[in-house]
Amino acid sequence: MSDDAAGGAIGGGTGGGLLKAACVQVNAGTELEPNLRAAGDIVRRARDAGAAFITLPENVGWIVQGRAKTMERVRSEAEHPAIPFFADLARETGAWILGGTLHVLLDDGRAANRSYLFDADGRTVASYDKIHMFDVTLKDGETYRESASFRPGERAVVASSPWGGIGMTVCYDLRFAALYRALAQAGASILTVPAAFTVPTGRAHWHTLLRARAIETGCFVIAPAQTGSHDQGRQTYGHSLLVAPWGEVLADAGTEVGFITADLDLDRIAEARGMVPSLTHDRAFDVERVGF
């Protein structure tokens, strides 16, 4: 992270200007090659529409149910075909690309749910392993146990870019506000949230949480999402969003496969943080338990 990016976080500056950003919304199946081909076609269309920063959703390589299916598909980072695919796509288009998340085999036999950021020359600028695991049984009986297959990450990541610091997060991380505050205070002016949100939780919380993270941090939030029906009937919510630092939704993809774009006025980061400079107002406190 550059000194300029770090200094701009609390003060609110990124150098200003406009960034046309895009969210690519896909409906991933179980096989890598057709998923990459479909995603790549949409990335090229987004670039043709003028997007300089193009983001893809969580699990862009495949969506499968169960540990056995997951582990038979994972590859080590050195052997994962999706990594050079997105690197080549960035070079081809001349756009920065957030490659959603890919499932990467680790030395302990588990996988990482890893997000990759590529620059316009196809270089891997940064990677981030999803920290928070979605282990839950929903009211309709749907069960998710990410920790059965994935090892949680242990570090937050802010990557320097031409538009300021990019704070990298994934899906369920969205429910942990302290992560986003830490990213903003470490230099993030843009927060990425590639996701595969369930339909029930998406309807209830997706828009509200993304807008809250933008408002709390004075950051732009870019949240590309999976949509539709997947392996064994799993449903994802869609509604990829681009959100401004004051909380306005700039673009919403609805539930269709495709892409959305918005022009991000980077001067709005300083404006929002100047009006509510809460990133500089932390105070230590104790919690008093009364009557327990």
Side-chain angles (χ1 to χ4, degrees):
M1 181 180 65
S2 70
D3 291 340
D4 287 344
I10 305 302
T14 61
L18 291 175
L19 164 64
K20 184 179 283 292
C23 291
V24 170
Q25 185 160 283
V26 301
N27 171 246
T30 60
E31 300 304 322
L32 179 65
E33 186 175 339
N35 290 333
L36 293 181
R37 187 166 56 247
D41 288 345
I42 302 173
V43 167
R44 293 182 183 95
R45 287 165 47 203
R47 181 56 172 160
D48 288 344
F53 181 33
I54 303 171
T55 64
L56 295 105
E58 182 182 29
N59 304 336
V60 68
W62 57 70
I63 290 182
V64 295
Q65 294 289 79
R67 173 178 168 78
K69 285 185 178 180
T70 296
M71 299 313 297
E72 71 185 16
R73 286 167 170 78
V74 296
R75 298 291 183 269
S76 68
E77 191 168 62
E79 298 176 342
H80 205 304
I83 297 171
F85 174 85
F86 285 119
D88 290 345
L89 190 60
R91 276 192 295 271
E92 173 193 333
T93 59
W96 280 57
I97 292 178
L98 182 85
T101 72
L102 304 172
H103 301 164
V104 177
L105 184 64
L106 302 175
D107 292 340
D108 68 358
R110 287 184 291 176
N113 193 6
R114 184 168 292 171
S115 184
Y116 287 90
L117 179 64
F118 302 92
D119 69 11
D121 293 319
R123 294 178 296 229
T124 301
V125 173
S127 64
Y128 162 75
D129 291 354
K130 183 177 182 180
I131 291 173
H132 299 97
M133 299 288 98
F134 188 50
D135 290 354
V136 66
T137 300
L138 302 176
K139 276 188 176 181
D140 62 6
E142 280 190 275
T143 299
Y144 298 89
R145 291 288 179 269
E146 285 187 338
S147 62
S149 302
F150 298 103
R151 186 174 76 191
E154 297 180 342
R155 62 184 179 95
V157 174
V158 181
S160 183
S161 83
W163 313 286
I166 297 176
M168 301 172 69
T169 73
V170 176
C171 200
Y172 190 51
D173 286 335
L174 182 59
R175 297 187 179 275
F176 299 85
L179 172 60
Y180 293 84
R181 185 172 188 83
L183 290 169
Q185 290 178 330
S189 53
I190 296 169
L191 301 168
T192 55
V193 195
F197 243 62
T198 70
V199 171
T201 56
R203 285 175 180 158
H205 300 146
W206 176 246
H207 288 73
T208 301
L209 287 172
L210 288 167
R211 294 184 65 208
R213 298 296 88 87
I215 293 165
E216 291 162 352
T217 62
C219 289
F220 283 99
V221 174
I222 303 177
Q226 292 278 351
T227 190
S229 182
H230 308 273
D231 185 38
Q232 296 184 28
R234 176 179 175 179
Q235 301 286 320
T236 52
Y237 181 62
H239 291 279
S240 299
L241 295 184
L242 291 143
V243 185
W246 205 242
E248 311 98 305
V249 173
L250 302 176
D252 183 332
T255 58
E256 299 301 314
V257 168
F259 71 94
I260 53 172
T261 65
D263 291 319
L264 311 189
D265 180 355
L266 301 176
D267 290 326
R268 295 195 61 192
I269 299 165
E271 179 184 354
R273 292 177 179 179
M275 294 173 69
V276 184
S278 60
L279 290 175
T280 64
H281 290 168
D282 289 279
R283 287 179 56 84
F285 58 86
D286 296 322
V287 177
E288 181 181 358
R289 292 165 57 88
V290 178
F292 284 87

